[in-house]
Amino acid sequence: MIQNVYGAAFTATGSVNDLYSNSSIARTLNKTLWLTFPPQPSNPAANEWVEIGGTKGNTSVNIAQVNPQLPGEQTYYEGHYFTYQRFDTQLNRNYYEGRIGAANGVPSGEHRYKLQRDFSSNNKWCSYVNNIAAYCITIGGAGSYNSAFAMTIGIESQDTLHGFKNSTGGYSIWHYPTTASGFQLFAGNMANADNNNRGWYSNWFPPQNGNNAIAFYNQ
């Protein structure tokens, strides 16, 4: 969805139970929400975003770690997570990731994920799981991060051994347009951005009876 927003939210069905991966697979498997920032005039190829969702895979134990790598800086994890990526004025990529609620064990069932601009200072964003604040970060990159221009919900896989429960997805998808005073149910159309060679695909279900949904399929 292309639209200037101060935030977005959705309720994920199945949590990480619907994601099929294990500790022998190094790459992460995510069901997630992204908000992407406008391109930098000085670096239009820079892909900058904030992200929240459920993951199975190797992640950092410290959100302050820049560009975490295996081994040593990442370990296997199943649960809620938050990440963001920015580029500095020297065009260097800076990627950060953090775990949410790891001490509570592996989550199951439905969970609500939200990203929202914090207006207390420039370029500040907060993440929420089940409406409880997790990470709040001020993005110090080369661009302006006071609003995002695109929202994406999807399955992210980087390994052919990954899989997921057919028809897993999310619902109650809300957005916070920069022209509005708060969050509202997204009543528009989601553009299909499926990009894989495995036959995975998604379907968007516009609002009916006061709700909307998205589902992901592998057969």
PDB file of all heavy atoms in Angstrom, residues 201-219:
ATOM      1  N   TYR A 201       1.706 -17.283  -2.741  1.00  0.00           N
ATOM      2  CA  TYR A 201       0.968 -16.098  -3.174  1.00  0.00           C
ATOM      3  C   TYR A 201       0.088 -15.586  -2.036  1.00  0.00           C
ATOM      4  O   TYR A 201      -0.096 -16.265  -1.019  1.00  0.00           O
ATOM      5  CB  TYR A 201       0.127 -16.395  -4.418  1.00  0.00           C
ATOM      6  CG  TYR A 201      -0.985 -17.408  -4.219  1.00  0.00           C
ATOM      7  CD1 TYR A 201      -2.300 -16.998  -4.006  1.00  0.00           C
ATOM      8  CD2 TYR A 201      -0.716 -18.784  -4.251  1.00  0.00           C
ATOM      9  CE1 TYR A 201      -3.321 -17.917  -3.834  1.00  0.00           C
ATOM     10  CE2 TYR A 201      -1.734 -19.712  -4.068  1.00  0.00           C
ATOM     11  CZ  TYR A 201      -3.036 -19.276  -3.868  1.00  0.00           C
ATOM     12  OH  TYR A 201      -4.044 -20.190  -3.690  1.00  0.00           O
ATOM     13  N   SER A 202      -0.435 -14.390  -2.225  1.00  0.00           N
ATOM     14  CA  SER A 202      -1.263 -13.766  -1.195  1.00  0.00           C
ATOM     15  C   SER A 202      -2.584 -13.310  -1.783  1.00  0.00           C
ATOM     16  O   SER A 202      -2.696 -13.081  -2.995  1.00  0.00           O
ATOM     17  CB  SER A 202      -0.535 -12.559  -0.587  1.00  0.00           C
ATOM     18  OG  SER A 202      -0.262 -11.592  -1.582  1.00  0.00           O
ATOM     19  N   ASN A 203      -3.582 -13.177  -0.924  1.00  0.00           N
ATOM     20  CA  ASN A 203      -4.884 -12.617  -1.298  1.00  0.00           C
ATOM     21  C   ASN A 203      -5.274 -11.544  -0.293  1.00  0.00           C
ATOM     22  O   ASN A 203      -5.106 -11.726   0.919  1.00  0.00           O
ATOM     23  CB  ASN A 203      -5.973 -13.692  -1.320  1.00  0.00           C
ATOM     24  CG  ASN A 203      -6.036 -14.427  -2.645  1.00  0.00           C
ATOM     25  OD1 ASN A 203      -5.553 -13.944  -3.666  1.00  0.00           O
ATOM     26  ND2 ASN A 203      -6.636 -15.609  -2.632  1.00  0.00           N
ATOM     27  N   TRP A 204      -5.779 -10.444  -0.823  1.00  0.00           N
ATOM     28  CA  TRP A 204      -6.271  -9.340  -0.005  1.00  0.00           C
ATOM     29  C   TRP A 204      -7.785  -9.398   0.039  1.00  0.00           C
ATOM     30  O   TRP A 204      -8.456  -9.580  -0.977  1.00  0.00           O
ATOM     31  CB  TRP A 204      -5.797  -8.011  -0.599  1.00  0.00           C
ATOM     32  CG  TRP A 204      -6.475  -6.807  -0.026  1.00  0.00           C
ATOM     33  CD1 TRP A 204      -7.325  -5.943  -0.661  1.00  0.00           C
ATOM     34  CD2 TRP A 204      -6.347  -6.298   1.310  1.00  0.00           C
ATOM     35  NE1 TRP A 204      -7.743  -4.949   0.179  1.00  0.00           N
ATOM     36  CE2 TRP A 204      -7.156  -5.137   1.406  1.00  0.00           C
ATOM     37  CE3 TRP A 204      -5.637  -6.711   2.442  1.00  0.00           C
ATOM     38  CZ2 TRP A 204      -7.271  -4.400   2.576  1.00  0.00           C
ATOM     39  CZ3 TRP A 204      -5.755  -5.977   3.603  1.00  0.00           C
ATOM     40  CH2 TRP A 204      -6.549  -4.839   3.664  1.00  0.00           C
ATOM     41  N   PHE A 205      -8.333  -9.241   1.236  1.00  0.00           N
ATOM     42  CA  PHE A 205      -9.779  -9.263   1.441  1.00  0.00           C
ATOM     43  C   PHE A 205     -10.216  -7.907   1.955  1.00  0.00           C
ATOM     44  O   PHE A 205      -9.989  -7.577   3.133  1.00  0.00           O
ATOM     45  CB  PHE A 205     -10.158 -10.368   2.432  1.00  0.00           C
ATOM     46  CG  PHE A 205      -9.752 -11.747   1.982  1.00  0.00           C
ATOM     47  CD1 PHE A 205      -8.535 -12.287   2.355  1.00  0.00           C
ATOM     48  CD2 PHE A 205     -10.589 -12.489   1.166  1.00  0.00           C
ATOM     49  CE1 PHE A 205      -8.153 -13.542   1.933  1.00  0.00           C
ATOM     50  CE2 PHE A 205     -10.225 -13.755   0.737  1.00  0.00           C
ATOM     51  CZ  PHE A 205      -8.992 -14.286   1.117  1.00  0.00           C
ATOM     52  N   PRO A 206     -10.812  -7.072   1.090  1.00  0.00           N
ATOM     53  CA  PRO A 206     -11.252  -5.736   1.513  1.00  0.00           C
ATOM     54  C   PRO A 206     -12.284  -5.818   2.631  1.00  0.00           C
ATOM     55  O   PRO A 206     -12.847  -6.891   2.906  1.00  0.00           O
ATOM     56  CB  PRO A 206     -11.863  -5.151   0.235  1.00  0.00           C
ATOM     57  CG  PRO A 206     -11.297  -5.968  -0.881  1.00  0.00           C
ATOM     58  CD  PRO A 206     -11.098  -7.338  -0.315  1.00  0.00           C
ATOM     59  N   PRO A 207     -12.537  -4.706   3.284  1.00  0.00           N
ATOM     60  CA  PRO A 207     -13.449  -4.723   4.439  1.00  0.00           C
ATOM     61  C   PRO A 207     -14.816  -5.305   4.130  1.00  0.00           C
ATOM     62  O   PRO A 207     -15.447  -4.946   3.128  1.00  0.00           O
ATOM     63  CB  PRO A 207     -13.552  -3.248   4.826  1.00  0.00           C
ATOM     64  CG  PRO A 207     -12.274  -2.646   4.342  1.00  0.00           C
ATOM     65  CD  PRO A 207     -11.955  -3.369   3.072  1.00  0.00           C
ATOM     66  N   GLN A 208     -15.247  -6.207   4.987  1.00  0.00           N
ATOM     67  CA  GLN A 208     -16.606  -6.733   4.995  1.00  0.00           C
ATOM     68  C   GLN A 208     -17.034  -6.861   6.441  1.00  0.00           C
ATOM     69  O   GLN A 208     -16.270  -7.383   7.270  1.00  0.00           O
ATOM     70  CB  GLN A 208     -16.698  -8.086   4.295  1.00  0.00           C
ATOM     71  CG  GLN A 208     -16.469  -8.040   2.806  1.00  0.00           C
ATOM     72  CD  GLN A 208     -16.703  -9.402   2.155  1.00  0.00           C
ATOM     73  OE1 GLN A 208     -16.858 -10.415   2.845  1.00  0.00           O
ATOM     74  NE2 GLN A 208     -16.744  -9.419   0.840  1.00  0.00           N
ATOM     75  N   ASN A 209     -18.218  -6.375   6.756  1.00  0.00           N
ATOM     76  CA  ASN A 209     -18.715  -6.420   8.134  1.00  0.00           C
ATOM     77  C   ASN A 209     -17.733  -5.779   9.107  1.00  0.00           C
ATOM     78  O   ASN A 209     -17.520  -6.258  10.227  1.00  0.00           O
ATOM     79  CB  ASN A 209     -19.007  -7.864   8.556  1.00  0.00           C
ATOM     80  CG  ASN A 209     -20.036  -8.522   7.662  1.00  0.00           C
ATOM     81  OD1 ASN A 209     -21.046  -7.918   7.302  1.00  0.00           O
ATOM     82  ND2 ASN A 209     -19.786  -9.771   7.291  1.00  0.00           N
ATOM     83  N   GLY A 210     -17.071  -4.703   8.651  1.00  0.00           N
ATOM     84  CA  GLY A 210     -16.213  -3.931   9.529  1.00  0.00           C
ATOM     85  C   GLY A 210     -14.816  -4.467   9.727  1.00  0.00           C
ATOM     86  O   GLY A 210     -14.120  -4.042  10.652  1.00  0.00           O
ATOM     87  N   ASN A 211     -14.373  -5.411   8.851  1.00  0.00           N
ATOM     88  CA  ASN A 211     -13.022  -5.936   9.006  1.00  0.00           C
ATOM     89  C   ASN A 211     -12.418  -6.233   7.645  1.00  0.00           C
ATOM     90  O   ASN A 211     -13.116  -6.368   6.636  1.00  0.00           O
ATOM     91  CB  ASN A 211     -13.018  -7.206   9.862  1.00  0.00           C
ATOM     92  CG  ASN A 211     -11.769  -7.317  10.703  1.00  0.00           C
ATOM     93  OD1 ASN A 211     -10.756  -6.693  10.416  1.00  0.00           O
ATOM     94  ND2 ASN A 211     -11.847  -8.107  11.754  1.00  0.00           N
ATOM     95  N   ASN A 212     -11.086  -6.338   7.609  1.00  0.00           N
ATOM     96  CA  ASN A 212     -10.354  -6.702   6.405  1.00  0.00           C
ATOM     97  C   ASN A 212      -9.372  -7.810   6.754  1.00  0.00           C
ATOM     98  O   ASN A 212      -9.210  -8.167   7.922  1.00  0.00           O
ATOM     99  CB  ASN A 212      -9.632  -5.478   5.821  1.00  0.00           C
ATOM    100  CG  ASN A 212      -8.709  -4.802   6.840  1.00  0.00           C
ATOM    101  OD1 ASN A 212      -8.319  -5.399   7.851  1.00  0.00           O
ATOM    102  ND2 ASN A 212      -8.372  -3.547   6.601  1.00  0.00           N
ATOM    103  N   ALA A 213      -8.677  -8.353   5.748  1.00  0.00           N
ATOM    104  CA  ALA A 213      -7.755  -9.454   6.029  1.00  0.00           C
ATOM    105  C   ALA A 213      -6.804  -9.653   4.861  1.00  0.00           C
ATOM    106  O   ALA A 213      -7.062  -9.218   3.725  1.00  0.00           O
ATOM    107  CB  ALA A 213      -8.513 -10.745   6.303  1.00  0.00           C
ATOM    108  N   ILE A 214      -5.704 -10.339   5.152  1.00  0.00           N
ATOM    109  CA  ILE A 214      -4.776 -10.795   4.129  1.00  0.00           C
ATOM    110  C   ILE A 214      -4.401 -12.233   4.478  1.00  0.00           C
ATOM    111  O   ILE A 214      -4.305 -12.598   5.653  1.00  0.00           O
ATOM    112  CB  ILE A 214      -3.527  -9.890   4.066  1.00  0.00           C
ATOM    113  CG1 ILE A 214      -2.682 -10.233   2.836  1.00  0.00           C
ATOM    114  CG2 ILE A 214      -2.706  -9.952   5.340  1.00  0.00           C
ATOM    115  CD1 ILE A 214      -1.580  -9.224   2.548  1.00  0.00           C
ATOM    116  N   ALA A 215      -4.233 -13.071   3.445  1.00  0.00           N
ATOM    117  CA  ALA A 215      -3.879 -14.471   3.658  1.00  0.00           C
ATOM    118  C   ALA A 215      -2.772 -14.881   2.702  1.00  0.00           C
ATOM    119  O   ALA A 215      -2.675 -14.335   1.589  1.00  0.00           O
ATOM    120  CB  ALA A 215      -5.096 -15.374   3.500  1.00  0.00           C
ATOM    121  N   PHE A 216      -1.957 -15.842   3.131  1.00  0.00           N
ATOM    122  CA  PHE A 216      -0.823 -16.315   2.340  1.00  0.00           C
ATOM    123  C   PHE A 216      -0.975 -17.813   2.072  1.00  0.00           C
ATOM    124  O   PHE A 216      -1.357 -18.574   2.971  1.00  0.00           O
ATOM    125  CB  PHE A 216       0.485 -16.031   3.085  1.00  0.00           C
ATOM    126  CG  PHE A 216       0.621 -14.588   3.464  1.00  0.00           C
ATOM    127  CD1 PHE A 216       0.375 -14.173   4.761  1.00  0.00           C
ATOM    128  CD2 PHE A 216       0.962 -13.618   2.528  1.00  0.00           C
ATOM    129  CE1 PHE A 216       0.483 -12.829   5.130  1.00  0.00           C
ATOM    130  CE2 PHE A 216       1.067 -12.292   2.858  1.00  0.00           C
ATOM    131  CZ  PHE A 216       0.828 -11.894   4.158  1.00  0.00           C
ATOM    132  N   TYR A 217      -0.648 -18.207   0.850  1.00  0.00           N
ATOM    133  CA  TYR A 217      -0.906 -19.573   0.404  1.00  0.00           C
ATOM    134  C   TYR A 217       0.362 -20.172  -0.220  1.00  0.00           C
ATOM    135  O   TYR A 217       1.154 -19.462  -0.848  1.00  0.00           O
ATOM    136  CB  TYR A 217      -2.030 -19.604  -0.631  1.00  0.00           C
ATOM    137  CG  TYR A 217      -3.320 -18.998  -0.128  1.00  0.00           C
ATOM    138  CD1 TYR A 217      -3.595 -17.642  -0.301  1.00  0.00           C
ATOM    139  CD2 TYR A 217      -4.269 -19.765   0.544  1.00  0.00           C
ATOM    140  CE1 TYR A 217      -4.763 -17.075   0.157  1.00  0.00           C
ATOM    141  CE2 TYR A 217      -5.454 -19.211   0.994  1.00  0.00           C
ATOM    142  CZ  TYR A 217      -5.691 -17.859   0.814  1.00  0.00           C
ATOM    143  OH  TYR A 217      -6.861 -17.308   1.276  1.00  0.00           O
ATOM    144  N   ASN A 218       0.516 -21.482  -0.046  1.00  0.00           N
ATOM    145  CA  ASN A 218       1.658 -22.172  -0.617  1.00  0.00           C
ATOM    146  C   ASN A 218       1.252 -23.383  -1.446  1.00  0.00           C
ATOM    147  O   ASN A 218       2.085 -24.233  -1.764  1.00  0.00           O
ATOM    148  CB  ASN A 218       2.648 -22.602   0.488  1.00  0.00           C
ATOM    149  CG  ASN A 218       1.985 -23.373   1.608  1.00  0.00           C
ATOM    150  OD1 ASN A 218       1.014 -24.095   1.392  1.00  0.00           O
ATOM    151  ND2 ASN A 218       2.495 -23.204   2.824  1.00  0.00           N
ATOM    152  N   GLN A 219      -0.028 -23.470  -1.764  1.00  0.00           N
ATOM    153  CA  GLN A 219      -0.507 -24.596  -2.589  1.00  0.00           C
ATOM    154  C   GLN A 219      -1.793 -24.212  -3.308  1.00  0.00           C
ATOM    155  O   GLN A 219      -2.349 -23.155  -3.058  1.00  0.00           O
ATOM    156  CB  GLN A 219      -0.743 -25.836  -1.722  1.00  0.00           C
ATOM    157  CG  GLN A 219      -1.764 -25.629  -0.630  1.00  0.00           C
ATOM    158  CD  GLN A 219      -1.818 -26.794   0.350  1.00  0.00           C
ATOM    159  OE1 GLN A 219      -0.817 -27.491   0.568  1.00  0.00           O
ATOM    160  NE2 GLN A 219      -2.974 -27.027   0.953  1.00  0.00           N
TER     161      GLN A 219
END
